[in-house]
Amino acid sequence: MRKKTASFPTRLKKIWASVLSSNSRHWIFGGTGLVAGLLLGVMVGAGASTPVTPAASDSDITPDAGSAEVGFGSTDIETAVEDCGLTDAAGITIGDEGHSVSIQTIGEDNTYGAEVFEMACVLQGLDASDSVIARMDSTRALDGRQTGTWDDFEASWGYHPDDGINLVIEKVK
């Protein structure tokens, strides 16, 4: 004799009834809220991380005639950052009127910052020596702050896997 099985709609009703029980309801609404929050966070984060800069031809911003600023790209450091397309990049800050740059890369815990290849592009644009790059590449968290020089530049850096690389390059001559 064959065992009688409930039809699909009947089984579905039983499953739905058990899902809607008071114990399961909290999990459903909590999970739905979690998923909605994650989706909203991703959408807002993606919108906030997209740089919005007007094109030069569309810009209504004009430099002040009395300003002493020469403009972006007038120093070796500014030129290297601009050539890499990183003028508005996260984790890259030009200072000292274009004579220094600070680069903070992302790490395991620090998700804000530059990618390592972006840092490498700036170093290449400044003709960093192979020996300084090799020392940066082999720096461990236990090594503390390190320094190196090449041509007219001095660099200091530290590394931790959680935080990434913190690099400062200064023009010294």
Side-chain angles (χ1 to χ4, degrees):
M1 177 175 236
R2 202 167 84 147
K3 184 177 176 185
K4 184 177 179 184
T5 59
S7 67
F8 180 73
T10 303
R11 286 186 288 178
L12 189 59
K13 286 179 186 177
K14 286 182 181 180
I15 292 171
W16 186 247
S18 68
V19 166
L20 292 179
S21 71
S22 63
N23 292 337
S24 299
R25 197 174 314 150
H26 298 291
W27 286 103
I28 292 171
F29 290 117
T32 303
L34 178 66
V35 169
L38 286 172
L39 289 174
L40 181 62
V42 167
M43 291 185 327
V44 168
S49 67
T50 304
V52 179
T53 55
S57 61
D58 297 332
S59 177
D60 292 333
I61 301 171
T62 57
D64 182 6
S67 174
E69 279 189 80
V70 177
F72 205 86
S74 62
T75 67
D76 293 336
I77 290 174
E78 289 175 327
T79 300
V81 170
E82 187 174 40
D83 287 350
C84 292
L86 302 172
T87 56
D88 294 325
I92 298 179
T93 306
I94 294 183
D96 299 315
E97 297 176 350
H99 296 284
S100 71
V101 62
S102 301
I103 301 174
Q104 175 64 55
T105 66
I106 59 175
E108 291 175 14
D109 291 342
N110 177 24
T111 59
Y112 174 84
E115 297 285 343
V116 173
F117 72 88
E118 294 173 325
M119 179 186 69
C121 182
V122 173
L123 288 166
Q124 182 179 10
L126 295 174
D127 294 323
S129 68
D130 293 338
S131 64
V132 170
I133 292 173
R135 288 173 41 211
M136 283 182 195
D137 191 42
S138 63
T139 301
R140 305 169 302 154
L142 297 172
D143 294 336
R145 195 111 187 125
Q146 301 292 305
T147 61
T149 60
W150 72 94
D151 298 335
D152 296 342
F153 298 100
E154 179 176 273
S156 65
W157 66 90
Y159 169 75
H160 192 279
D162 294 341
D163 301 324
I165 298 171
N166 177 283
L167 169 66
V168 177
I169 303 171
E170 301 173 90
K171 184 151 186 166
V172 291
K173 294 181 185 176

